[in-house]
PDB file of all heavy atoms in Angstrom:
ATOM      1  N   ILE A  30      11.674 -24.404  28.841  1.00  0.00           N
ATOM      2  CA  ILE A  30      11.409 -24.782  27.486  1.00  0.00           C
ATOM      3  C   ILE A  30      12.574 -25.601  26.903  1.00  0.00           C
ATOM      4  O   ILE A  30      12.367 -26.555  26.172  1.00  0.00           O
ATOM      5  CB  ILE A  30      11.173 -23.498  26.583  1.00  0.00           C
ATOM      6  CG1 ILE A  30       9.991 -22.701  27.132  1.00  0.00           C
ATOM      7  CG2 ILE A  30      10.932 -23.900  25.139  1.00  0.00           C
ATOM      8  CD1 ILE A  30       9.795 -21.353  26.458  1.00  0.00           C
ATOM      9  N   ALA A  31      13.776 -25.235  27.289  1.00  0.00           N
ATOM     10  CA  ALA A  31      14.976 -25.988  26.789  1.00  0.00           C
ATOM     11  C   ALA A  31      14.963 -27.427  27.314  1.00  0.00           C
ATOM     12  O   ALA A  31      15.364 -28.338  26.601  1.00  0.00           O
ATOM     13  CB  ALA A  31      16.248 -25.274  27.289  1.00  0.00           C
ATOM     14  N   LEU A  32      14.478 -27.630  28.569  1.00  0.00           N
ATOM     15  CA  LEU A  32      14.371 -29.013  29.094  1.00  0.00           C
ATOM     16  C   LEU A  32      13.339 -29.809  28.290  1.00  0.00           C
ATOM     17  O   LEU A  32      13.542 -31.004  28.006  1.00  0.00           O
ATOM     18  CB  LEU A  32      13.981 -28.954  30.571  1.00  0.00           C
ATOM     19  CG  LEU A  32      15.039 -28.426  31.542  1.00  0.00           C
ATOM     20  CD1 LEU A  32      14.475 -28.267  32.932  1.00  0.00           C
ATOM     21  CD2 LEU A  32      16.276 -29.341  31.606  1.00  0.00           C
ATOM     22  N   VAL A  33      12.257 -29.126  27.940  1.00  0.00           N
ATOM     23  CA  VAL A  33      11.220 -29.766  27.124  1.00  0.00           C
ATOM     24  C   VAL A  33      11.789 -30.145  25.748  1.00  0.00           C
ATOM     25  O   VAL A  33      11.605 -31.276  25.271  1.00  0.00           O
ATOM     26  CB  VAL A  33       9.998 -28.864  26.953  1.00  0.00           C
ATOM     27  CG1 VAL A  33       9.021 -29.465  25.971  1.00  0.00           C
ATOM     28  CG2 VAL A  33       9.313 -28.654  28.326  1.00  0.00           C
ATOM     29  N   VAL A  34      12.473 -29.189  25.170  1.00  0.00           N
ATOM     30  CA  VAL A  34      13.064 -29.394  23.818  1.00  0.00           C
ATOM     31  C   VAL A  34      13.974 -30.598  23.830  1.00  0.00           C
ATOM     32  O   VAL A  34      13.990 -31.444  22.916  1.00  0.00           O
ATOM     33  CB  VAL A  34      13.822 -28.134  23.369  1.00  0.00           C
ATOM     34  CG1 VAL A  34      14.740 -28.446  22.162  1.00  0.00           C
ATOM     35  CG2 VAL A  34      12.841 -27.032  22.979  1.00  0.00           C
ATOM     36  N   ASN A  35      14.777 -30.726  24.896  1.00  0.00           N
ATOM     37  CA  ASN A  35      15.679 -31.886  24.993  1.00  0.00           C
ATOM     38  C   ASN A  35      14.967 -33.204  24.995  1.00  0.00           C
ATOM     39  O   ASN A  35      15.463 -34.191  24.483  1.00  0.00           O
ATOM     40  CB  ASN A  35      16.510 -31.717  26.260  1.00  0.00           C
ATOM     41  CG  ASN A  35      17.571 -32.816  26.420  1.00  0.00           C
ATOM     42  OD1 ASN A  35      18.388 -33.021  25.545  1.00  0.00           O
ATOM     43  ND2 ASN A  35      17.495 -33.579  27.502  1.00  0.00           N
ATOM     44  N   LEU A  36      13.736 -33.240  25.486  1.00  0.00           N
ATOM     45  CA  LEU A  36      12.966 -34.466  25.564  1.00  0.00           C
ATOM     46  C   LEU A  36      12.268 -34.812  24.249  1.00  0.00           C
ATOM     47  O   LEU A  36      12.003 -35.981  23.983  1.00  0.00           O
ATOM     48  CB  LEU A  36      11.931 -34.355  26.687  1.00  0.00           C
ATOM     49  CG  LEU A  36      12.416 -34.309  28.129  1.00  0.00           C
ATOM     50  CD1 LEU A  36      11.302 -34.027  29.077  1.00  0.00           C
ATOM     51  CD2 LEU A  36      13.144 -35.627  28.493  1.00  0.00           C
ATOM     52  N   ILE A  37      11.961 -33.810  23.444  1.00  0.00           N
ATOM     53  CA  ILE A  37      11.130 -34.101  22.246  1.00  0.00           C
ATOM     54  C   ILE A  37      11.822 -33.888  20.893  1.00  0.00           C
ATOM     55  O   ILE A  37      11.296 -34.285  19.864  1.00  0.00           O
ATOM     56  CB  ILE A  37       9.823 -33.248  22.306  1.00  0.00           C
ATOM     57  CG1 ILE A  37      10.091 -31.763  22.436  1.00  0.00           C
ATOM     58  CG2 ILE A  37       8.940 -33.714  23.445  1.00  0.00           C
ATOM     59  CD1 ILE A  37      10.133 -30.963  21.181  1.00  0.00           C
ATOM     60  N   LYS A  38      13.011 -33.307  20.893  1.00  0.00           N
ATOM     61  CA  LYS A  38      13.614 -32.928  19.604  1.00  0.00           C
ATOM     62  C   LYS A  38      14.026 -34.141  18.734  1.00  0.00           C
ATOM     63  O   LYS A  38      14.139 -34.008  17.530  1.00  0.00           O
ATOM     64  CB  LYS A  38      14.763 -31.942  19.772  1.00  0.00           C
ATOM     65  CG  LYS A  38      16.041 -32.585  20.376  1.00  0.00           C
ATOM     66  CD  LYS A  38      17.121 -31.495  20.443  1.00  0.00           C
ATOM     67  CE  LYS A  38      18.449 -32.099  20.950  1.00  0.00           C
ATOM     68  NZ  LYS A  38      19.515 -31.077  20.982  1.00  0.00           N
ATOM     69  N   GLU A  39      14.212 -35.305  19.375  1.00  0.00           N
ATOM     70  CA  GLU A  39      14.581 -36.475  18.597  1.00  0.00           C
ATOM     71  C   GLU A  39      13.474 -36.921  17.646  1.00  0.00           C
ATOM     72  O   GLU A  39      13.708 -37.649  16.681  1.00  0.00           O
ATOM     73  CB  GLU A  39      14.984 -37.634  19.534  1.00  0.00           C
ATOM     74  CG  GLU A  39      13.850 -38.199  20.318  1.00  0.00           C
ATOM     75  CD  GLU A  39      14.314 -39.387  21.140  1.00  0.00           C
ATOM     76  OE1 GLU A  39      15.279 -40.055  20.751  1.00  0.00           O
ATOM     77  OE2 GLU A  39      13.661 -39.694  22.169  1.00  0.00           O
ATOM     78  N   ARG A  40      12.253 -36.437  17.887  1.00  0.00           N
ATOM     79  CA  ARG A  40      11.131 -36.771  17.034  1.00  0.00           C
ATOM     80  C   ARG A  40      10.761 -35.618  16.060  1.00  0.00           C
ATOM     81  O   ARG A  40       9.784 -35.690  15.345  1.00  0.00           O
ATOM     82  CB  ARG A  40       9.905 -37.164  17.841  1.00  0.00           C
ATOM     83  CG  ARG A  40      10.057 -38.517  18.504  1.00  0.00           C
ATOM     84  CD  ARG A  40       8.843 -38.855  19.380  1.00  0.00           C
ATOM     85  NE  ARG A  40       8.757 -38.002  20.573  1.00  0.00           N
ATOM     86  CZ  ARG A  40       9.462 -38.187  21.644  1.00  0.00           C
ATOM     87  NH1 ARG A  40      10.335 -39.159  21.732  1.00  0.00           N
ATOM     88  NH2 ARG A  40       9.340 -37.369  22.696  1.00  0.00           N
ATOM     89  N   ALA A  41      11.586 -34.539  16.117  1.00  0.00           N
ATOM     90  CA  ALA A  41      11.272 -33.357  15.298  1.00  0.00           C
ATOM     91  C   ALA A  41      12.200 -33.227  14.100  1.00  0.00           C
ATOM     92  O   ALA A  41      13.370 -33.639  14.148  1.00  0.00           O
ATOM     93  CB  ALA A  41      11.407 -32.112  16.171  1.00  0.00           C
ATOM     94  N   THR A  42      11.668 -32.656  13.036  1.00  0.00           N
ATOM     95  CA  THR A  42      12.517 -32.289  11.898  1.00  0.00           C
ATOM     96  C   THR A  42      12.675 -30.764  11.838  1.00  0.00           C
ATOM     97  O   THR A  42      13.744 -30.294  11.420  1.00  0.00           O
ATOM     98  CB  THR A  42      11.791 -32.768  10.604  1.00  0.00           C
ATOM     99  OG1 THR A  42      11.678 -34.165  10.631  1.00  0.00           O
ATOM    100  CG2 THR A  42      12.638 -32.406   9.331  1.00  0.00           C
ATOM    101  N   TYR A  43      11.660 -30.031  12.245  1.00  0.00           N
ATOM    102  CA  TYR A  43      11.708 -28.536  12.278  1.00  0.00           C
ATOM    103  C   TYR A  43      11.299 -28.050  13.665  1.00  0.00           C
ATOM    104  O   TYR A  43      10.597 -28.716  14.382  1.00  0.00           O
ATOM    105  CB  TYR A  43      10.741 -27.952  11.227  1.00  0.00           C
ATOM    106  CG  TYR A  43      10.787 -28.633   9.879  1.00  0.00           C
ATOM    107  CD1 TYR A  43       9.713 -29.478   9.484  1.00  0.00           C
ATOM    108  CD2 TYR A  43      11.829 -28.423   9.003  1.00  0.00           C
ATOM    109  CE1 TYR A  43       9.708 -30.094   8.264  1.00  0.00           C
ATOM    110  CE2 TYR A  43      11.845 -29.036   7.749  1.00  0.00           C
ATOM    111  CZ  TYR A  43      10.794 -29.831   7.364  1.00  0.00           C
ATOM    112  OH  TYR A  43      10.806 -30.449   6.173  1.00  0.00           O
ATOM    113  N   ILE A  44      11.694 -26.838  13.932  1.00  0.00           N
ATOM    114  CA  ILE A  44      11.264 -26.218  15.203  1.00  0.00           C
ATOM    115  C   ILE A  44       9.748 -26.063  15.196  1.00  0.00           C
ATOM    116  O   ILE A  44       9.081 -26.155  16.257  1.00  0.00           O
ATOM    117  CB  ILE A  44      11.943 -24.831  15.358  1.00  0.00           C
ATOM    118  CG1 ILE A  44      13.451 -25.057  15.600  1.00  0.00           C
ATOM    119  CG2 ILE A  44      11.344 -24.062  16.529  1.00  0.00           C
ATOM    120  CD1 ILE A  44      14.284 -23.762  15.583  1.00  0.00           C
ATOM    121  N   SER A  45       9.149 -25.900  14.004  1.00  0.00           N
ATOM    122  CA  SER A  45       7.684 -25.781  13.929  1.00  0.00           C
ATOM    123  C   SER A  45       6.974 -27.080  14.343  1.00  0.00           C
ATOM    124  O   SER A  45       5.783 -27.077  14.599  1.00  0.00           O
ATOM    125  CB  SER A  45       7.278 -25.415  12.497  1.00  0.00           C
ATOM    126  OG  SER A  45       7.753 -26.352  11.567  1.00  0.00           O
ATOM    127  N   ASP A  46       7.732 -28.190  14.470  1.00  0.00           N
ATOM    128  CA  ASP A  46       7.116 -29.449  14.929  1.00  0.00           C
ATOM    129  C   ASP A  46       6.981 -29.496  16.453  1.00  0.00           C
ATOM    130  O   ASP A  46       6.272 -30.335  16.997  1.00  0.00           O
ATOM    131  CB  ASP A  46       8.010 -30.628  14.546  1.00  0.00           C
ATOM    132  CG  ASP A  46       8.061 -30.860  13.045  1.00  0.00           C
ATOM    133  OD1 ASP A  46       7.132 -30.447  12.353  1.00  0.00           O
ATOM    134  OD2 ASP A  46       9.060 -31.473  12.570  1.00  0.00           O
ATOM    135  N   PHE A  47       7.713 -28.597  17.095  1.00  0.00           N
ATOM    136  CA  PHE A  47       7.840 -28.666  18.593  1.00  0.00           C
ATOM    137  C   PHE A  47       6.511 -28.606  19.335  1.00  0.00           C
ATOM    138  O   PHE A  47       6.252 -29.360  20.276  1.00  0.00           O
ATOM    139  CB  PHE A  47       8.757 -27.569  19.131  1.00  0.00           C
ATOM    140  CG  PHE A  47      10.216 -27.817  18.891  1.00  0.00           C
ATOM    141  CD1 PHE A  47      11.171 -26.871  19.320  1.00  0.00           C
ATOM    142  CD2 PHE A  47      10.688 -28.993  18.286  1.00  0.00           C
ATOM    143  CE1 PHE A  47      12.525 -27.091  19.111  1.00  0.00           C
ATOM    144  CE2 PHE A  47      12.057 -29.222  18.087  1.00  0.00           C
ATOM    145  CZ  PHE A  47      12.983 -28.263  18.515  1.00  0.00           C
ATOM    146  N   TRP A  48       5.620 -27.702  18.902  1.00  0.00           N
ATOM    147  CA  TRP A  48       4.359 -27.523  19.677  1.00  0.00           C
ATOM    148  C   TRP A  48       3.533 -28.786  19.686  1.00  0.00           C
ATOM    149  O   TRP A  48       3.059 -29.206  20.724  1.00  0.00           O
ATOM    150  CB  TRP A  48       3.581 -26.344  19.142  1.00  0.00           C
ATOM    151  CG  TRP A  48       2.286 -26.137  19.934  1.00  0.00           C
ATOM    152  CD1 TRP A  48       1.024 -26.384  19.510  1.00  0.00           C
ATOM    153  CD2 TRP A  48       2.191 -25.687  21.266  1.00  0.00           C
ATOM    154  NE1 TRP A  48       0.130 -26.140  20.540  1.00  0.00           N
ATOM    155  CE2 TRP A  48       0.811 -25.688  21.603  1.00  0.00           C
ATOM    156  CE3 TRP A  48       3.113 -25.273  22.217  1.00  0.00           C
ATOM    157  CZ2 TRP A  48       0.325 -25.302  22.839  1.00  0.00           C
ATOM    158  CZ3 TRP A  48       2.624 -24.870  23.471  1.00  0.00           C
ATOM    159  CH2 TRP A  48       1.254 -24.899  23.788  1.00  0.00           C
ATOM    160  N   ASN A  49       3.331 -29.398  18.520  1.00  0.00           N
ATOM    161  CA  ASN A  49       2.553 -30.622  18.456  1.00  0.00           C
ATOM    162  C   ASN A  49       3.164 -31.727  19.297  1.00  0.00           C
ATOM    163  O   ASN A  49       2.448 -32.638  19.814  1.00  0.00           O
ATOM    164  CB  ASN A  49       2.378 -31.081  17.009  1.00  0.00           C
ATOM    165  CG  ASN A  49       1.367 -30.231  16.298  1.00  0.00           C
ATOM    166  OD1 ASN A  49       0.491 -29.607  16.906  1.00  0.00           O
ATOM    167  ND2 ASN A  49       1.472 -30.206  14.946  1.00  0.00           N
ATOM    168  N   LEU A  50       4.491 -31.714  19.418  1.00  0.00           N
ATOM    169  CA  LEU A  50       5.183 -32.742  20.192  1.00  0.00           C
ATOM    170  C   LEU A  50       5.261 -32.461  21.656  1.00  0.00           C
ATOM    171  O   LEU A  50       5.581 -33.327  22.461  1.00  0.00           O
ATOM    172  CB  LEU A  50       6.610 -32.928  19.655  1.00  0.00           C
ATOM    173  CG  LEU A  50       6.748 -33.506  18.225  1.00  0.00           C
ATOM    174  CD1 LEU A  50       8.187 -33.369  17.749  1.00  0.00           C
ATOM    175  CD2 LEU A  50       6.328 -34.972  18.213  1.00  0.00           C
ATOM    176  N   SER A  51       4.968 -31.229  22.059  1.00  0.00           N
ATOM    177  CA  SER A  51       5.231 -30.829  23.448  1.00  0.00           C
ATOM    178  C   SER A  51       4.137 -29.989  24.155  1.00  0.00           C
ATOM    179  O   SER A  51       4.329 -29.593  25.298  1.00  0.00           O
ATOM    180  CB  SER A  51       6.547 -30.016  23.513  1.00  0.00           C
ATOM    181  OG  SER A  51       6.347 -28.737  22.902  1.00  0.00           O
ATOM    182  N   HIS A  52       3.029 -29.776  23.493  1.00  0.00           N
ATOM    183  CA  HIS A  52       1.985 -28.887  24.043  1.00  0.00           C
ATOM    184  C   HIS A  52       1.554 -29.260  25.475  1.00  0.00           C
ATOM    185  O   HIS A  52       1.248 -28.473  26.299  1.00  0.00           O
ATOM    186  CB  HIS A  52       0.785 -28.824  23.113  1.00  0.00           C
ATOM    187  CG  HIS A  52       0.140 -30.144  22.886  1.00  0.00           C
ATOM    188  ND1 HIS A  52      -0.838 -30.688  23.681  1.00  0.00           N
ATOM    189  CD2 HIS A  52       0.375 -31.087  21.903  1.00  0.00           C
ATOM    190  CE1 HIS A  52      -1.174 -31.886  23.240  1.00  0.00           C
ATOM    191  NE2 HIS A  52      -0.453 -32.148  22.156  1.00  0.00           N
ATOM    192  N   TYR A  53       1.591 -30.588  25.759  1.00  0.00           N
ATOM    193  CA  TYR A  53       1.122 -31.107  27.055  1.00  0.00           C
ATOM    194  C   TYR A  53       2.096 -30.741  28.176  1.00  0.00           C
ATOM    195  O   TYR A  53       1.744 -30.867  29.369  1.00  0.00           O
ATOM    196  CB  TYR A  53       0.923 -32.599  26.996  1.00  0.00           C
ATOM    197  CG  TYR A  53       2.060 -33.346  26.366  1.00  0.00           C
ATOM    198  CD1 TYR A  53       3.167 -33.728  27.084  1.00  0.00           C
ATOM    199  CD2 TYR A  53       2.028 -33.607  24.977  1.00  0.00           C
ATOM    200  CE1 TYR A  53       4.220 -34.397  26.486  1.00  0.00           C
ATOM    201  CE2 TYR A  53       3.095 -34.270  24.357  1.00  0.00           C
ATOM    202  CZ  TYR A  53       4.180 -34.660  25.122  1.00  0.00           C
ATOM    203  OH  TYR A  53       5.233 -35.296  24.532  1.00  0.00           O
ATOM    204  N   PHE A  54       3.288 -30.244  27.877  1.00  0.00           N
ATOM    205  CA  PHE A  54       4.172 -29.748  28.912  1.00  0.00           C
ATOM    206  C   PHE A  54       3.815 -28.358  29.356  1.00  0.00           C
ATOM    207  O   PHE A  54       4.279 -27.873  30.379  1.00  0.00           O
ATOM    208  CB  PHE A  54       5.619 -29.669  28.351  1.00  0.00           C
ATOM    209  CG  PHE A  54       6.321 -31.024  28.282  1.00  0.00           C
ATOM    210  CD1 PHE A  54       6.486 -31.696  27.110  1.00  0.00           C
ATOM    211  CD2 PHE A  54       6.797 -31.621  29.467  1.00  0.00           C
ATOM    212  CE1 PHE A  54       7.139 -32.895  27.034  1.00  0.00           C
ATOM    213  CE2 PHE A  54       7.445 -32.855  29.409  1.00  0.00           C
ATOM    214  CZ  PHE A  54       7.615 -33.500  28.193  1.00  0.00           C
ATOM    215  N   PHE A  55       2.958 -27.703  28.557  1.00  0.00           N
ATOM    216  CA  PHE A  55       2.583 -26.304  28.853  1.00  0.00           C
ATOM    217  C   PHE A  55       1.107 -26.082  29.177  1.00  0.00           C
ATOM    218  O   PHE A  55       0.748 -25.075  29.731  1.00  0.00           O
ATOM    219  CB  PHE A  55       3.003 -25.439  27.634  1.00  0.00           C
ATOM    220  CG  PHE A  55       4.445 -25.625  27.210  1.00  0.00           C
ATOM    221  CD1 PHE A  55       4.740 -26.406  26.062  1.00  0.00           C
ATOM    222  CD2 PHE A  55       5.458 -25.072  27.925  1.00  0.00           C
ATOM    223  CE1 PHE A  55       6.052 -26.564  25.678  1.00  0.00           C
ATOM    224  CE2 PHE A  55       6.781 -25.267  27.562  1.00  0.00           C
ATOM    225  CZ  PHE A  55       7.101 -25.984  26.418  1.00  0.00           C
ATOM    226  N   GLU A  56       0.259 -27.064  28.786  1.00  0.00           N
ATOM    227  CA  GLU A  56      -1.157 -26.936  29.090  1.00  0.00           C
ATOM    228  C   GLU A  56      -1.766 -28.314  29.220  1.00  0.00           C
ATOM    229  O   GLU A  56      -1.312 -29.272  28.611  1.00  0.00           O
ATOM    230  CB  GLU A  56      -1.853 -26.139  27.973  1.00  0.00           C
ATOM    231  CG  GLU A  56      -1.738 -26.742  26.566  1.00  0.00           C
ATOM    232  CD  GLU A  56      -2.365 -25.872  25.501  1.00  0.00           C
ATOM    233  OE1 GLU A  56      -2.564 -24.673  25.730  1.00  0.00           O
ATOM    234  OE2 GLU A  56      -2.623 -26.399  24.417  1.00  0.00           O
ATOM    235  N   SER A  57      -2.841 -28.404  30.012  1.00  0.00           N
ATOM    236  CA  SER A  57      -3.539 -29.675  30.247  1.00  0.00           C
ATOM    237  C   SER A  57      -4.227 -30.091  28.975  1.00  0.00           C
ATOM    238  O   SER A  57      -4.658 -29.249  28.156  1.00  0.00           O
ATOM    239  CB  SER A  57      -4.577 -29.511  31.348  1.00  0.00           C
ATOM    240  OG  SER A  57      -3.938 -29.165  32.563  1.00  0.00           O
ATOM    241  N   PRO A  58      -4.391 -31.403  28.794  1.00  0.00           N
ATOM    242  CA  PRO A  58      -5.150 -31.868  27.610  1.00  0.00           C
ATOM    243  C   PRO A  58      -6.571 -31.335  27.592  1.00  0.00           C
ATOM    244  O   PRO A  58      -7.210 -31.267  28.604  1.00  0.00           O
ATOM    245  CB  PRO A  58      -5.160 -33.391  27.797  1.00  0.00           C
ATOM    246  CG  PRO A  58      -4.033 -33.702  28.734  1.00  0.00           C
ATOM    247  CD  PRO A  58      -3.896 -32.515  29.601  1.00  0.00           C
ATOM    248  N   LYS A  59      -7.010 -30.887  26.436  1.00  0.00           N
ATOM    249  CA  LYS A  59      -8.353 -30.375  26.296  1.00  0.00           C
ATOM    250  C   LYS A  59      -9.318 -31.446  25.789  1.00  0.00           C
ATOM    251  O   LYS A  59     -10.524 -31.308  25.876  1.00  0.00           O
ATOM    252  CB  LYS A  59      -8.402 -29.181  25.339  1.00  0.00           C
ATOM    253  CG  LYS A  59      -7.635 -27.930  25.878  1.00  0.00           C
ATOM    254  CD  LYS A  59      -7.705 -26.766  24.887  1.00  0.00           C
ATOM    255  CE  LYS A  59      -7.117 -25.510  25.450  1.00  0.00           C
ATOM    256  NZ  LYS A  59      -5.710 -25.614  25.837  1.00  0.00           N
ATOM    257  N   ALA A  60      -8.708 -32.515  25.309  1.00  0.00           N
ATOM    258  CA  ALA A  60      -9.513 -33.632  24.815  1.00  0.00           C
ATOM    259  C   ALA A  60      -8.661 -34.888  24.859  1.00  0.00           C
ATOM    260  O   ALA A  60      -7.433 -34.808  25.051  1.00  0.00           O
ATOM    261  CB  ALA A  60      -9.969 -33.392  23.365  1.00  0.00           C
ATOM    262  N   TYR A  61      -9.256 -36.050  24.759  1.00  0.00           N
ATOM    263  CA  TYR A  61      -8.525 -37.315  24.837  1.00  0.00           C
ATOM    264  C   TYR A  61      -8.811 -38.115  23.546  1.00  0.00           C
ATOM    265  O   TYR A  61      -9.965 -38.220  23.130  1.00  0.00           O
ATOM    266  CB  TYR A  61      -8.987 -38.099  26.071  1.00  0.00           C
ATOM    267  CG  TYR A  61      -8.735 -37.318  27.361  1.00  0.00           C
ATOM    268  CD1 TYR A  61      -9.690 -36.530  27.893  1.00  0.00           C
ATOM    269  CD2 TYR A  61      -7.509 -37.454  28.014  1.00  0.00           C
ATOM    270  CE1 TYR A  61      -9.499 -35.816  29.074  1.00  0.00           C
ATOM    271  CE2 TYR A  61      -7.258 -36.735  29.175  1.00  0.00           C
ATOM    272  CZ  TYR A  61      -8.271 -35.886  29.706  1.00  0.00           C
ATOM    273  OH  TYR A  61      -8.029 -35.212  30.850  1.00  0.00           O
ATOM    274  N   ASP A  62      -7.755 -38.643  22.975  1.00  0.00           N
ATOM    275  CA  ASP A  62      -7.884 -39.421  21.769  1.00  0.00           C
ATOM    276  C   ASP A  62      -8.882 -40.589  21.984  1.00  0.00           C
ATOM    277  O   ASP A  62      -8.757 -41.360  22.913  1.00  0.00           O
ATOM    278  CB  ASP A  62      -6.499 -39.984  21.346  1.00  0.00           C
ATOM    279  CG  ASP A  62      -6.591 -40.766  20.052  1.00  0.00           C
ATOM    280  OD1 ASP A  62      -6.516 -40.161  18.992  1.00  0.00           O
ATOM    281  OD2 ASP A  62      -6.702 -42.008  20.141  1.00  0.00           O
ATOM    282  N   GLU A  63      -9.913 -40.648  21.129  1.00  0.00           N
ATOM    283  CA  GLU A  63     -10.993 -41.615  21.338  1.00  0.00           C
ATOM    284  C   GLU A  63     -10.520 -43.085  21.271  1.00  0.00           C
ATOM    285  O   GLU A  63     -10.871 -43.882  22.108  1.00  0.00           O
ATOM    286  CB  GLU A  63     -12.089 -41.347  20.274  1.00  0.00           C
ATOM    287  CG  GLU A  63     -13.314 -42.215  20.521  1.00  0.00           C
ATOM    288  CD  GLU A  63     -14.445 -41.889  19.499  1.00  0.00           C
ATOM    289  OE1 GLU A  63     -14.322 -40.856  18.782  1.00  0.00           O
ATOM    290  OE2 GLU A  63     -15.381 -42.679  19.402  1.00  0.00           O
ATOM    291  N   LYS A  64      -9.751 -43.383  20.239  1.00  0.00           N
ATOM    292  CA  LYS A  64      -9.214 -44.719  20.083  1.00  0.00           C
ATOM    293  C   LYS A  64      -8.332 -45.126  21.253  1.00  0.00           C
ATOM    294  O   LYS A  64      -8.424 -46.246  21.793  1.00  0.00           O
ATOM    295  CB  LYS A  64      -8.453 -44.836  18.762  1.00  0.00           C
ATOM    296  CG  LYS A  64      -8.076 -46.249  18.388  1.00  0.00           C
ATOM    297  CD  LYS A  64      -7.399 -46.240  16.986  1.00  0.00           C
ATOM    298  CE  LYS A  64      -6.992 -47.663  16.665  1.00  0.00           C
ATOM    299  NZ  LYS A  64      -6.332 -47.681  15.292  1.00  0.00           N
ATOM    300  N   ALA A  65      -7.465 -44.179  21.677  1.00  0.00           N
ATOM    301  CA  ALA A  65      -6.576 -44.432  22.793  1.00  0.00           C
ATOM    302  C   ALA A  65      -7.335 -44.586  24.120  1.00  0.00           C
ATOM    303  O   ALA A  65      -6.999 -45.423  24.965  1.00  0.00           O
ATOM    304  CB  ALA A  65      -5.554 -43.297  22.932  1.00  0.00           C
ATOM    305  N   SER A  66      -8.411 -43.836  24.248  1.00  0.00           N
ATOM    306  CA  SER A  66      -9.232 -43.915  25.485  1.00  0.00           C
ATOM    307  C   SER A  66      -9.856 -45.281  25.645  1.00  0.00           C
ATOM    308  O   SER A  66      -9.867 -45.870  26.731  1.00  0.00           O
ATOM    309  CB  SER A  66     -10.342 -42.869  25.420  1.00  0.00           C
ATOM    310  OG  SER A  66      -9.793 -41.554  25.336  1.00  0.00           O
TER     311      SER A  66
END
């Protein structure tokens, strides 16, 4: 988790931001952004 934090914390303001910024390090995508697809 600390290695993940090191990669994403520059885009975070709070620790509560971490999950939205890093969920893909812990679980596979359940959906794909339509516009990006």
Side-chain angles (χ1 to χ4, degrees):
I30 301 173
L32 291 173
V33 172
V34 165
N35 183 56
L36 292 173
I37 55 96
K38 71 178 185 179
E39 67 176 336
R40 288 178 291 280
T42 300
Y43 315 106
I44 293 173
S45 58
D46 295 335
F47 284 178
W48 180 252
N49 284 337
L50 292 170
S51 69
H52 58 89
Y53 47 86
F54 283 104
F55 307 104
E56 58 184 20
S57 298
K59 293 182 173 61
Y61 300 92
D62 182 84
E63 186 176 347
K64 188 176 179 181
S66 299

